[in-house]
Amino acid sequence: MSRRIVLAMSGGVDSSAAAVLLKRQGFEIIGLFMRSGATEEPRDVCRLPTAGTSPVSSIQLPVLGAKANKQGCCSASDAADARRVADVLDIPFHALNFSDAFGRIKDYFADEYLAGRTPNPCVMCNNWLKFGKLWDFAQSVGADGIATGHYARIVDVDGKPALVRGVDRSKDQSYVLAGINRSILDKILFPVGTFAKPEIRALAAEAGLRVATKPDSQEICFIPDNDYVGFLERHRGKPDTSGDFVDANGKVLGRHLGYEQFTIGQRRGLGITFGEPRFVIRIEPDTHRVFLGKYEELAQTTLEADGMSWLVDDIPDQYECLAQIRYQHTAAPATVRVLSPGHVRVQFVDPQFGVAPGQALVLYDGDRVLGGGWIRQLDMASSRSALESK
């Protein structure tokens, strides 16, 4: 790998510590901040060099002017933090407006909720933006590698690069990276992946970076107030999606104002009370019905996923592995049957709770990511079977 690396800098402690580590390893670093464009007032919009132009080592790309308001990991204050880190470490820093790409992510987010599914914009952002546009930019400036502050690792397995979990399992982010294009795995560095979070904060403090104590970003960057419903109304208007709350047998329990306000496994904010906790166990966008049930009614033993992206060769038609169904889920033993290259059926050894269509399914062999796709279909019969077996 070339000694020139483009590092995605978010203004947080992880990517900042990654810059410190890469600098210590002797890399020539080019810092890049990716703006969503939603709150910007650009003075000079940066554009990538067009095909046929010669990338220049000292290419100058202006930082966009911005309003000083918070917007998750893509805000003006985050951009300022990232630039200060670059100044302290004496590395070139650029910011690019990726509003078009972020617009695609926003559309996906709204479409999924209105389809009765639970979207995962962070996975989509990694697939489409961070490891797509980032690599495009790296090539345009003559770099042969890219790096981010994710807690994951790229290791050699039988002479080929493999994506594996980060050493700090409490911060591991391999789940949201499973959709990375396999062809660029050997171009990626995850400098913080071999460290624990406290070590990363200590490293940043030692380097004199004031982001060492900066809290981790929790919100979706284009919904900084966590008001998903408000975002959907602004992005898609106010269609009438009201309907009935029903139990597993279809008995009406009450009314709701819009099915897109709910996700599988949700308990709080239902607007209806019972003598004991009730959870969203199913959403029917066609009928506008939201099904409620007891916790045990969330149990699922079988699911199907499509849009599979594989990071390994020669996947057998059927095999045993670990399957993870959301970011905070502990990967569970399962048997996977490959119905087609992009479509799998997963049978869990033990029932899993809160399986939500729209979320990412990621398959592991130990710590190694085999591939990932999108949960699309649940087997309601398997849910009833799991319930009856308890």
Side-chain angles (χ1 to χ4, degrees), residues 176-229:
V176 298
L177 299 172
I180 292 176
N181 190 320
R182 184 182 176 188
S183 67
I184 66 169
L185 280 182
D186 63 342
K187 311 294 184 185
I188 299 173
L189 294 175
F190 295 125
V192 307
T194 56
F195 293 85
K197 184 73 175 199
E199 293 176 303
I200 289 301
R201 290 198 179 278
L203 187 152
E206 179 188 339
L209 306 181
R210 70 182 194 181
V211 297
T213 57
K214 184 176 180 178
D216 292 338
S217 177
Q218 300 293 330
E219 71 276 10
I220 295 173
C221 64
F222 53 85
I223 312 179
D225 58 2
N226 283 318
D227 182 6
Y228 295 0
V229 175

Side-chain angles (χ1 to χ4, degrees), residues 315-326:
I315 295 294
D317 292 339
Q318 185 168 304
Y319 58 95
E320 295 179 354
C321 67
L322 299 175
Q324 187 168 335
I325 57 173
R326 59 181 174 274

Side-chain angles (χ1 to χ4, degrees), residues 17-302:
V20 174
L21 292 168
L22 290 170
K23 193 172 179 69
R24 288 180 178 177
Q25 294 166 24
F27 286 101
E28 176 192 348
I29 308 166
I30 299 174
L32 179 65
F33 185 86
M34 297 179 171
R35 296 201 61 86
S36 69
T39 61
E40 297 160 347
E41 295 177 332
R43 294 190 296 268
D44 296 291
V45 177
C46 306
R47 301 199 182 280
L48 297 181
T50 57
T53 60
S54 175
V56 181
S57 300
S58 59
I59 183 171
Q60 295 298 309
L61 299 175
V63 176
L64 300 179
K67 297 177 182 178
N69 58 326
K70 179 68 179 172
Q71 194 189 345
C73 60
C74 306
S75 72
S77 61
D78 290 318
D81 285 341
R83 181 152 201 174
R84 277 190 290 268
V85 169
D87 288 343
V88 170
L89 299 179
D90 191 27
I91 60 178
F93 176 77
H94 312 295
L96 293 183
N97 186 340
F98 289 104
S99 57
D100 289 346
F102 270 99
R104 184 183 178 191
I105 293 169
K106 293 175 185 177
D107 287 341
Y108 148 79
F109 184 87
D111 291 344
E112 286 292 279
Y113 262 117
L114 292 174
R117 296 189 289 264
T118 304
N120 194 318
C122 293
V123 174
M124 282 300 188
C125 185
N126 286 329
N127 294 354
W128 292 343
L129 183 58
K130 288 184 179 175
F131 294 91
K133 299 295 186 181
L134 182 63
W135 176 234
D136 290 343
F137 175 80
Q139 291 176 293
S140 77
V141 295
D144 288 337
I146 57 178
T148 72
H150 285 98
Y151 285 83
R153 293 174 291 152
I154 302 291
V155 302
D156 183 276
V157 176
D158 298 327
K160 296 182 179 180
L163 174 65
V164 301
R165 292 189 185 277
V167 169
D168 188 340
R169 293 296 289 266
S170 69
K171 292 295 182 180
D172 170 57
Q173 293 173 297
S174 60
Y175 171 81
V176 298
L177 299 172
I180 292 176
N181 190 320
R182 184 182 176 188
S183 67
I184 66 169
L185 280 182
D186 63 342
K187 311 294 184 185
I188 299 173
L189 294 175
F190 295 125
V192 307
T194 56
F195 293 85
K197 184 73 175 199
E199 293 176 303
I200 289 301
R201 290 198 179 278
L203 187 152
E206 179 188 339
L209 306 181
R210 70 182 194 181
V211 297
T213 57
K214 184 176 180 178
D216 292 338
S217 177
Q218 300 293 330
E219 71 276 10
I220 295 173
C221 64
F222 53 85
I223 312 179
D225 58 2
N226 283 318
D227 182 6
Y228 295 0
V229 175
F231 168 80
L232 292 172
E233 289 180 352
R234 293 189 299 272
H235 203 66
R236 285 286 187 265
K238 297 182 180 180
D240 182 9
T241 55
S242 61
D244 292 327
F245 282 121
V246 298
D247 66 14
N249 297 315
K251 178 183 176 182
V252 175
L253 304 173
R255 293 284 293 177
H256 63 78
L257 297 179
Y259 64 82
E260 75 280 2
Q261 300 179 27
F262 307 99
T263 188
I264 303 298
Q266 181 176 337
R267 178 172 70 89
R268 299 183 184 279
L270 300 180
I272 184 172
T273 58
F274 301 90
E276 57 184 325
R278 289 291 189 275
F279 300 81
V280 175
I281 61 173
R282 184 180 175 189
I283 297 171
E284 278 188 354
D286 292 343
T287 64
H288 295 191
R289 294 194 299 178
V290 175
F291 289 73
L292 303 180
K294 298 179 181 180
Y295 178 73
E296 53 265 31
E297 293 178 84
L298 286 168
Q300 288 283 341
T301 58
T302 305

